[in-house]
């Protein structure tokens, strides 16, 4: 007969995940800012004189590309710290990986929202134009970076290989940004600051765009914190599985000898 | 609003992609949390 004790009735406490008080506060602020952005972008901000209502796509398109650039630059900085730092920290490498993952998602969003905007403005979803082509190349380069991170090898090998690639592919960002000036392009030049550094946007439009940039930057911080913690746990779980497999092989060997 | 389908579609795609990515991240984190003891999580 099984004896029921107060201890046996206790539900085992669930182990805590990647969330902390700070991430919950950032997450809440992000949700509020994204709601704010949707209201301003779709309802309050005025239509553009030339582009009409299609300018509303800008409030998600420009912050997406800003966030993708930011993510790739963070990846490059972390790659440099890993590669040239004394400790060759794996924690920094995980932040680089997490940031690249977030960047790839936002680069995909940039490409899709850009295609929808292009369909309204140019009448086609895609043109092999300099800006569009270099952006697609940047996107594919970072998919390659993530593929290299998934290759076989030790964690230090993974970190070293991906750090080298992270430092090389970031050089494509200036090429993407300046492509509209280097080659004749369908894509418009910088929206906020023109060549004369004058702000060329209506106040409410600029405010909506700024709300989008703030919302997406908060989102970036939230996502990178969660994903880098997740990558830490993947590494730790892999280590534990390896230790258990080794221990079981050792005990099997001991039994056979006995 | 002219071209409402494209405009609202771009917001839905953006927010949908963000939402799906965030939910997937949280779910994976919770699943992994069970295989790693709390003392090995430096953020706690």
């Amino acid at each position: 007969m099984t004896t029921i004790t107060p201890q046996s009735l206790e539900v085992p406490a669930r182990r805590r995940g990647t969330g902390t008080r700070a991430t919950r506060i950032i997450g809440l602020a992000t949700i509020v800012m994204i709601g704010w952005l949707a209201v301003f972008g779709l309802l309050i901000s005025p239509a553009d004189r030339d582009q009409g209502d299609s300018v509303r796509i800008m409030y998600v398109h420009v912050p997406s590309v800003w966030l993708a650039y930011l993510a790739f630059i963070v990846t490059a900085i972390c790659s440099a710290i890993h590669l040239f730092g004394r400790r060759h920290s794996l924690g920094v490498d995980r932040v680089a990986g997490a940031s690249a993952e977030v960047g790839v998602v936002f680069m995909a969003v940039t490409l899709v929202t850009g295609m929808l905007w292009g369909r309204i403005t140019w009448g086609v979803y895609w043109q092999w134009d300099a800006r569009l082509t270099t952006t697609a190349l940047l996107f594919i380069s970072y998919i390659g970076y993530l593929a290299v991170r998934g290759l076989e090898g030790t964690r230090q090998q993974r970190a070293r290989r991906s750090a080298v690639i992270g430092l090389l592919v970031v050089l494509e960002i200036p090429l993407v940004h300046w492509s509209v000036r280097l080659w004749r392009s369908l894509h418009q030049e910088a929206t906020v600051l023109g060549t004369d550094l004058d702000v060329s946007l209506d106040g409410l439009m600029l405010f909506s765009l700024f709300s989008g940039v703030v919302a997406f930057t908060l989102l970036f911080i939230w996502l990178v914190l969660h994903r880098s913690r997740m990558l830490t746990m993947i590494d730790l779980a892999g280590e534990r599985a390896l230790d258990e497999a080794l221990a079981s092989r050792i005990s099997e060997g001991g039994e056979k000898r006995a | 609003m002219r071209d409402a389908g494209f405009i609202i579609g771009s917001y839905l795609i953006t927010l949908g992609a963000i939402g799906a990515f965030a939910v997937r991240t949280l779910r994976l984190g919770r699943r992994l949390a069970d295989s790693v003891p709390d003392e090995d999580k430096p953020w706690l």
Side-chain angles (χ1 to χ4, degrees), chain A residues 133-202:
Chain A
T133 308
T134 50
T135 307
L137 188 69
L138 184 67
F139 176 62
I140 292 165
S141 301
Y142 276 91
I143 288 179
Y145 169 88
L146 293 180
V148 168
R149 289 191 71 85
L151 290 178
E152 293 279 321
T154 64
R155 251 164 257 138
Q156 281 293 348
Q157 283 173 332
R158 174 195 73 190
R160 213 175 314 127
R161 283 191 292 237
S162 52
V164 172
I165 296 172
L167 283 174
L168 286 175
V169 286
V170 77
L171 299 175
E172 289 176 37
I173 292 179
L175 184 73
V176 176
H177 189 73
W178 296 106
S179 59
V180 284
R181 300 232 184 117
L182 290 171
W183 296 285
R184 287 176 64 195
S185 174
L186 269 176
H187 198 281
Q188 67 196 56
E189 289 205 11
T191 311
V192 181
L193 286 174
T195 42
D196 50 1
L197 296 177
D198 274 343
V199 177
S200 52
L201 270 182
D202 164 80

Coordinates of all heavy atoms in Angstrom, one line a residue, chain A residues 133-202:
Chain A
T133 N 18.3 44.3 -54.6 CA 19.2 43.2 -54.8 C 20.2 43.1 -53.7 O 20.5 42.0 -53.1 CB 19.9 43.3 -56.2 OG1 18.9 43.5 -57.2 CG2 20.7 42.1 -56.5
T134 N 20.8 44.2 -53.3 CA 21.8 44.2 -52.2 C 21.1 43.8 -50.8 O 21.8 43.1 -50.0 CB 22.6 45.5 -52.0 OG1 21.6 46.6 -52.0 CG2 23.5 45.8 -53.2
T135 N 19.9 44.2 -50.7 CA 19.2 43.9 -49.4 C 18.9 42.3 -49.4 O 19.1 41.7 -48.4 CB 17.8 44.6 -49.3 OG1 18.1 46.0 -49.4 CG2 17.1 44.4 -48.0
A136 N 18.5 41.8 -50.5 CA 18.3 40.3 -50.6 C 19.6 39.6 -50.4 O 19.7 38.6 -49.7 CB 17.7 40.0 -52.0
L137 N 20.7 40.1 -50.9 CA 22.0 39.5 -50.7 C 22.4 39.6 -49.2 O 23.0 38.6 -48.7 CB 23.1 40.3 -51.5 CG 24.5 39.7 -51.6 CD1 24.5 38.4 -52.4 CD2 25.4 40.7 -52.2
L138 N 22.1 40.7 -48.5 CA 22.4 40.8 -47.1 C 21.6 39.7 -46.3 O 22.2 39.1 -45.4 CB 22.1 42.2 -46.6 CG 22.4 42.5 -45.2 CD1 23.9 42.6 -44.9 CD2 21.8 43.9 -44.8
F139 N 20.4 39.6 -46.7 CA 19.5 38.6 -46.0 C 20.0 37.2 -46.2 O 20.2 36.4 -45.2 CB 18.1 38.7 -46.6 CG 17.1 37.7 -46.2 CD1 16.7 37.7 -44.8 CD2 16.5 36.8 -47.0 CE1 15.7 36.8 -44.4 CE2 15.5 35.9 -46.6 CZ 15.2 35.9 -45.3
I140 N 20.4 36.9 -47.4 CA 21.0 35.5 -47.7 C 22.3 35.3 -47.0 O 22.6 34.2 -46.4 CB 21.1 35.3 -49.2 CG1 19.7 35.2 -49.8 CG2 21.8 34.0 -49.5 CD1 19.7 35.4 -51.3
S141 N 23.1 36.3 -46.9 CA 24.4 36.2 -46.2 C 24.2 35.8 -44.7 O 24.9 35.0 -44.2 CB 25.2 37.6 -46.2 OG 25.4 37.9 -47.6
Y142 N 23.2 36.5 -44.1 CA 23.0 36.2 -42.6 C 22.3 34.8 -42.5 O 22.5 34.2 -41.4 CB 22.2 37.3 -41.9 CG 23.2 38.3 -41.5 CD1 23.5 39.4 -42.3 CD2 23.9 38.2 -40.3 CE1 24.5 40.4 -42.0 CE2 24.9 39.2 -39.9 CZ 25.1 40.2 -40.8 OH 26.1 41.2 -40.4
I143 N 21.6 34.3 -43.4 CA 21.1 32.9 -43.4 C 22.3 32.0 -43.4 O 22.3 31.0 -42.7 CB 20.1 32.7 -44.5 CG1 18.8 33.4 -44.2 CG2 19.8 31.2 -44.6 CD1 17.7 33.3 -45.3
G144 N 23.3 32.4 -44.3 CA 24.5 31.6 -44.3 C 25.2 31.6 -43.0 O 25.7 30.6 -42.5
Y145 N 25.3 32.8 -42.3 CA 25.9 32.9 -41.0 C 25.2 32.0 -40.0 O 25.9 31.2 -39.3 CB 25.8 34.4 -40.5 CG 26.2 34.6 -39.1 CD1 27.5 34.9 -38.7 CD2 25.2 34.5 -38.1 CE1 27.8 35.1 -37.4 CE2 25.5 34.7 -36.8 CZ 26.8 35.0 -36.4 OH 27.2 35.2 -35.1
L146 N 23.9 31.9 -40.0 CA 23.2 31.0 -39.1 C 23.4 29.6 -39.4 O 23.5 28.7 -38.5 CB 21.7 31.3 -39.1 CG 21.3 32.7 -38.5 CD1 19.8 32.9 -38.6 CD2 21.8 32.9 -37.1
A147 N 23.6 29.3 -40.7 CA 23.9 27.9 -41.2 C 25.2 27.5 -40.6 O 25.4 26.3 -40.1 CB 23.8 27.8 -42.7
V148 N 26.2 28.4 -40.7 CA 27.6 28.1 -40.2 C 27.5 27.8 -38.7 O 28.2 26.9 -38.2 CB 28.5 29.2 -40.6 CG1 29.9 29.1 -39.8 CG2 28.8 29.2 -42.1
R149 N 26.7 28.6 -38.0 CA 26.6 28.4 -36.5 C 26.0 27.0 -36.2 O 26.3 26.4 -35.1 CB 25.6 29.4 -35.9 CG 26.2 30.8 -35.8 CD 25.3 31.7 -35.0 NE 25.4 31.3 -33.6 CZ 26.3 31.8 -32.8 NH1 27.2 32.6 -33.2 NH2 26.4 31.4 -31.5
G150 N 25.3 26.4 -37.1 CA 24.7 25.1 -36.9 C 25.6 23.9 -37.3 O 25.3 22.7 -37.2
L151 N 26.8 24.2 -37.8 CA 27.7 23.2 -38.3 C 28.3 22.4 -37.1 O 28.3 22.9 -36.0 CB 28.9 23.8 -39.1 CG 28.6 24.3 -40.4 CD1 29.9 24.9 -41.0 CD2 28.0 23.3 -41.4
E152 N 28.8 21.1 -37.4 CA 29.4 20.3 -36.3 C 30.6 20.9 -35.8 O 31.3 21.7 -36.5 CB 29.8 18.9 -37.0 CG 28.6 18.1 -37.4 CD 27.9 17.3 -36.3 OE1 28.7 16.8 -35.4 OE2 26.7 17.3 -36.3
G153 N 31.0 20.6 -34.6 CA 32.2 21.1 -34.0 C 32.1 21.5 -32.6 O 30.9 21.5 -32.0
T154 N 33.2 21.9 -31.9 CA 33.0 22.3 -30.5 C 32.4 23.7 -30.5 O 32.4 24.4 -31.5 CB 34.4 22.3 -29.8 OG1 35.2 23.3 -30.5 CG2 35.1 21.0 -29.9
R155 N 32.1 24.1 -29.3 CA 31.5 25.5 -29.1 C 32.5 26.6 -29.5 O 32.1 27.6 -30.1 CB 30.9 25.6 -27.7 CG 29.4 25.6 -27.7 CD 28.9 25.4 -26.4 NE 28.5 24.0 -26.3 CZ 28.7 23.3 -25.2 NH1 29.3 23.7 -24.2 NH2 28.2 22.0 -25.2
Q156 N 33.7 26.3 -29.1 CA 34.8 27.3 -29.5 C 35.0 27.4 -31.0 O 35.1 28.5 -31.5 CB 36.1 27.0 -28.8 CG 36.2 27.4 -27.3 CD 36.1 28.9 -27.1 OE1 36.3 29.7 -28.0 NE2 35.9 29.3 -25.8
Q157 N 34.9 26.3 -31.7 CA 35.1 26.3 -33.1 C 33.9 27.0 -33.7 O 34.1 27.8 -34.7 CB 35.1 24.8 -33.7 CG 36.4 24.1 -33.5 CD 36.3 22.7 -33.9 OE1 35.3 22.0 -33.8 NE2 37.4 22.1 -34.3
R158 N 32.7 26.7 -33.3 CA 31.5 27.4 -33.8 C 31.6 28.9 -33.6 O 31.4 29.7 -34.5 CB 30.3 26.9 -33.0 CG 29.0 27.6 -33.3 CD 27.9 27.3 -32.3 NE 28.2 28.0 -31.0 CZ 27.5 27.8 -29.9 NH1 26.5 26.9 -29.9 NH2 27.8 28.5 -28.8
A159 N 32.1 29.3 -32.4 CA 32.2 30.7 -32.1 C 33.2 31.4 -33.0 O 33.0 32.5 -33.5 CB 32.5 30.9 -30.6
R160 N 34.4 30.7 -33.2 CA 35.4 31.3 -34.0 C 35.0 31.5 -35.5 O 35.2 32.5 -36.1 CB 36.7 30.5 -33.9 CG 38.0 31.3 -34.0 CD 39.2 30.5 -33.7 NE 39.1 29.6 -32.6 CZ 39.3 28.3 -32.6 NH1 39.7 27.7 -33.7 NH2 39.2 27.6 -31.5
R161 N 34.5 30.4 -36.0 CA 34.0 30.4 -37.4 C 33.0 31.5 -37.6 O 33.1 32.3 -38.6 CB 33.4 29.1 -37.8 CG 34.4 27.9 -38.0 CD 33.7 26.8 -38.7 NE 32.7 26.1 -37.8 CZ 32.8 24.8 -37.4 NH1 33.7 24.0 -37.9 NH2 31.9 24.3 -36.6
S162 N 32.0 31.5 -36.8 CA 30.9 32.4 -37.0 C 31.3 33.9 -36.7 O 30.8 34.8 -37.4 CB 29.6 32.1 -36.2 OG 30.0 31.9 -34.9
A163 N 32.3 34.1 -35.8 CA 32.8 35.4 -35.6 C 33.4 36.0 -36.8 O 33.2 37.2 -37.2 CB 33.7 35.5 -34.4
V164 N 34.2 35.2 -37.5 CA 34.9 35.6 -38.7 C 33.9 36.0 -39.8 O 33.9 37.1 -40.4 CB 35.9 34.5 -39.3 CG1 36.4 34.9 -40.6 CG2 37.0 34.3 -38.3
I165 N 32.8 35.2 -39.9 CA 31.8 35.5 -40.9 C 31.0 36.7 -40.5 O 30.7 37.6 -41.3 CB 30.9 34.3 -41.1 CG1 31.7 33.1 -41.7 CG2 29.7 34.6 -42.1 CD1 31.0 31.8 -41.8
G166 N 30.7 36.8 -39.2 CA 30.0 38.0 -38.7 C 30.7 39.3 -39.0 O 30.0 40.3 -39.2
L167 N 32.0 39.3 -38.9 CA 32.8 40.5 -39.2 C 32.9 40.8 -40.7 O 33.0 42.0 -41.1 CB 34.2 40.4 -38.6 CG 34.3 40.5 -37.1 CD1 35.7 40.2 -36.6 CD2 33.9 41.9 -36.7
L168 N 32.8 39.8 -41.5 CA 32.8 40.0 -43.0 C 31.5 40.5 -43.6 O 31.4 41.4 -44.3 CB 33.2 38.7 -43.7 CG 34.7 38.3 -43.6 CD1 35.0 36.9 -44.2 CD2 35.6 39.3 -44.2
V169 N 30.4 39.8 -43.2 CA 29.1 40.1 -43.8 C 28.5 41.5 -43.4 O 27.8 42.1 -44.1 CB 28.0 39.0 -43.6 CG1 28.3 37.8 -44.4 CG2 27.9 38.6 -42.1
V170 N 29.0 42.0 -42.2 CA 28.5 43.3 -41.8 C 29.0 44.4 -42.8 O 28.3 45.5 -42.9 CB 28.9 43.6 -40.4 CG1 30.4 44.0 -40.3 CG2 28.0 44.7 -39.7
L171 N 30.0 44.1 -43.5 CA 30.5 45.1 -44.5 C 29.5 45.3 -45.6 O 29.7 46.3 -46.4 CB 31.9 44.6 -45.0 CG 33.0 44.5 -44.0 CD1 34.2 43.9 -44.6 CD2 33.3 45.8 -43.3
E172 N 28.5 44.5 -45.8 CA 27.5 44.7 -46.8 C 26.6 45.8 -46.5 O 25.9 46.4 -47.4 CB 26.7 43.4 -47.0 CG 27.5 42.3 -47.7 CD 26.7 41.0 -47.8 OE1 25.4 41.1 -48.0 OE2 27.2 39.9 -47.6
I173 N 26.4 46.1 -45.2 CA 25.5 47.2 -44.8 C 25.7 48.5 -45.4 O 24.8 49.1 -46.0 CB 25.3 47.3 -43.2 CG1 24.7 46.0 -42.7 CG2 24.5 48.5 -42.8 CD1 24.6 45.9 -41.2
P174 N 27.0 49.0 -45.4 CA 27.2 50.3 -46.1 C 26.8 50.2 -47.6 O 26.3 51.2 -48.2 CB 28.7 50.6 -45.9 CG 29.1 49.7 -44.8 CD 28.2 48.6 -44.7
L175 N 27.1 49.1 -48.2 CA 26.8 48.9 -49.6 C 25.3 49.0 -49.9 O 24.9 49.6 -50.8 CB 27.3 47.5 -50.1 CG 27.2 47.2 -51.5 CD1 28.2 48.0 -52.4 CD2 27.4 45.7 -51.8
V176 N 24.5 48.3 -49.0 CA 23.0 48.4 -49.1 C 22.6 49.8 -48.9 O 21.8 50.4 -49.7 CB 22.4 47.5 -48.0 CG1 20.8 47.6 -48.1 CG2 22.8 46.0 -48.2
H177 N 23.1 50.5 -47.9 CA 22.7 51.8 -47.5 C 23.0 52.8 -48.7 O 22.1 53.7 -49.0 CB 23.3 52.3 -46.2 CG 22.7 53.6 -45.7 ND1 21.4 53.6 -45.2 CD2 23.2 54.8 -45.7 CE1 21.1 54.9 -44.9 NE2 22.2 55.6 -45.2
W178 N 24.2 52.7 -49.2 CA 24.6 53.7 -50.2 C 24.2 53.3 -51.7 O 24.5 54.0 -52.6 CB 26.1 54.0 -50.1 CG 26.5 54.6 -48.8 CD1 27.1 54.0 -47.8 CD2 26.2 55.9 -48.4 NE1 27.3 54.9 -46.7 CE2 26.7 56.1 -47.1 CE3 25.6 57.1 -49.0 CZ2 26.6 57.2 -46.3 CZ3 25.5 58.2 -48.3 CH2 26.0 58.3 -47.0
S179 N 23.6 52.1 -51.8 CA 23.3 51.6 -53.2 C 22.5 52.5 -54.0 O 22.6 52.6 -55.2 CB 22.7 50.2 -53.1 OG 21.5 50.3 -52.3
V180 N 21.6 53.3 -53.3 CA 20.7 54.2 -54.0 C 21.5 55.4 -54.6 O 21.0 56.0 -55.5 CB 19.5 54.7 -53.1 CG1 18.5 53.7 -52.9 CG2 20.0 55.2 -51.8
R181 N 22.6 55.7 -54.1 CA 23.5 56.8 -54.6 C 24.5 56.2 -55.6 O 24.9 56.9 -56.5 CB 24.2 57.5 -53.5 CG 23.2 58.1 -52.4 CD 23.5 59.5 -52.2 NE 22.6 60.0 -51.2 CZ 23.0 60.4 -50.0 NH1 24.3 60.5 -49.7 NH2 22.2 60.9 -49.1
L182 N 25.0 55.0 -55.3 CA 26.1 54.4 -56.1 C 25.5 54.1 -57.5 O 26.2 54.2 -58.5 CB 26.7 53.2 -55.5 CG 27.5 53.5 -54.2 CD1 27.9 52.2 -53.5 CD2 28.8 54.2 -54.6
W183 N 24.3 53.5 -57.5 CA 23.7 53.1 -58.8 C 22.4 53.8 -59.0 O 21.8 54.2 -58.0 CB 23.5 51.6 -58.8 CG 24.7 50.8 -58.7 CD1 25.6 50.6 -59.7 CD2 25.2 50.1 -57.6 NE1 26.7 49.8 -59.3 CE2 26.5 49.5 -58.0 CE3 24.8 49.9 -56.3 CZ2 27.2 48.8 -57.1 CZ3 25.5 49.2 -55.4 CH2 26.7 48.6 -55.8
R184 N 21.9 53.9 -60.2 CA 20.6 54.5 -60.5 C 19.6 53.5 -59.9 O 19.6 52.3 -60.2 CB 20.3 54.7 -62.0 CG 21.2 55.8 -62.5 CD 21.0 55.9 -64.0 NE 19.6 56.3 -64.4 CZ 19.2 56.1 -65.6 NH1 20.0 55.7 -66.6 NH2 17.9 56.5 -65.9
S185 N 18.7 53.9 -59.0 CA 17.8 53.0 -58.3 C 16.3 53.5 -58.3 O 16.1 54.7 -58.3 CB 18.3 52.9 -56.9 OG 17.4 52.1 -56.1
L186 N 15.4 52.5 -58.4 CA 14.0 52.9 -58.2 C 13.7 53.3 -56.8 O 12.8 54.1 -56.6 CB 13.2 51.6 -58.5 CG 12.7 51.2 -59.9 CD1 12.0 49.9 -59.8 CD2 11.7 52.3 -60.4
H187 N 14.4 52.8 -55.9 CA 14.2 53.0 -54.5 C 14.5 54.5 -54.1 O 15.4 55.1 -54.6 CB 15.0 52.1 -53.6 CG 14.6 52.0 -52.2 ND1 14.8 52.9 -51.2 CD2 13.9 51.0 -51.6 CE1 14.3 52.5 -50.1 NE2 13.7 51.3 -50.3
Q188 N 13.6 55.1 -53.3 CA 13.8 56.5 -52.9 C 15.1 56.6 -52.0 O 15.5 55.6 -51.4 CB 12.6 57.0 -52.1 CG 12.4 56.3 -50.8 CD 11.0 56.6 -50.3 OE1 10.0 56.3 -50.9 NE2 10.9 57.2 -49.1
E189 N 15.6 57.8 -51.9 CA 16.8 58.0 -51.0 C 16.3 58.1 -49.6 O 15.1 57.9 -49.3 CB 17.5 59.3 -51.4 CG 18.2 59.1 -52.7 CD 19.4 60.1 -52.9 OE1 19.8 60.7 -52.0 OE2 19.9 60.1 -54.0
A190 N 17.2 58.4 -48.6 CA 16.9 58.4 -47.2 C 15.7 59.2 -46.9 O 15.5 60.3 -47.4 CB 18.1 58.9 -46.4
T191 N 14.7 58.6 -46.1 CA 13.4 59.2 -45.9 C 13.5 60.4 -45.0 O 12.9 61.5 -45.2 CB 12.4 58.2 -45.4 OG1 12.5 57.0 -46.2 CG2 11.0 58.7 -45.4
V192 N 14.2 60.3 -43.9 CA 14.2 61.3 -42.8 C 15.2 62.4 -43.1 O 14.8 63.6 -43.2 CB 14.5 60.6 -41.5 CG1 14.4 61.7 -40.4 CG2 13.5 59.5 -41.2
L193 N 16.4 62.1 -43.3 CA 17.4 63.1 -43.6 C 17.8 63.0 -45.0 O 18.3 62.0 -45.5 CB 18.7 62.8 -42.7 CG 18.5 63.2 -41.2 CD1 19.7 62.8 -40.4 CD2 18.3 64.7 -41.0
G194 N 17.7 64.1 -45.7 CA 18.1 64.2 -47.1 C 19.6 64.5 -47.2 O 20.3 64.5 -46.2
T195 N 20.1 64.7 -48.4 CA 21.5 64.9 -48.6 C 22.0 66.2 -47.9 O 23.1 66.3 -47.5 CB 21.9 65.0 -50.1 OG1 20.9 65.8 -50.8 CG2 22.0 63.6 -50.7
D196 N 21.0 67.2 -47.8 CA 21.4 68.5 -47.1 C 21.2 68.4 -45.6 O 21.3 69.4 -44.9 CB 20.5 69.6 -47.7 CG 19.0 69.2 -47.8 OD1 18.7 68.1 -47.3 OD2 18.2 70.0 -48.3
L197 N 20.9 67.2 -45.1 CA 20.7 66.9 -43.7 C 19.5 67.7 -43.1 O 19.4 67.8 -41.9 CB 21.9 67.2 -42.8 CG 23.2 66.4 -43.1 CD1 24.3 66.8 -42.3 CD2 22.9 64.9 -42.9
D198 N 18.5 68.1 -44.0 CA 17.3 68.7 -43.5 C 16.2 67.6 -43.3 O 16.1 66.7 -44.1 CB 16.8 69.7 -44.5 CG 17.4 71.1 -44.3 OD1 18.0 71.3 -43.2 OD2 17.4 71.9 -45.3
V199 N 15.5 67.7 -42.2 CA 14.4 66.8 -42.0 C 13.3 67.1 -43.0 O 12.7 68.2 -43.0 CB 13.9 66.8 -40.5 CG1 12.8 65.9 -40.3 CG2 15.0 66.5 -39.6
S200 N 12.9 66.1 -43.8 CA 12.0 66.3 -44.9 C 10.6 65.7 -44.6 O 10.0 65.3 -45.5 CB 12.6 65.9 -46.2 OG 13.0 64.5 -46.1
L201 N 10.3 65.5 -43.3 CA 9.0 64.8 -43.0 C 8.1 65.8 -42.2 O 8.6 66.5 -41.4 CB 9.2 63.6 -42.2 CG 9.5 62.2 -42.9 CD1 9.6 61.1 -41.9 CD2 8.3 61.9 -43.8
D202 N 6.8 65.6 -42.4 CA 5.8 66.3 -41.6 C 6.0 65.9 -40.1 O 6.4 64.8 -39.8 CB 4.4 65.9 -42.1 CG 3.3 66.3 -41.2 OD1 2.9 67.5 -41.1 OD2 2.8 65.4 -40.4

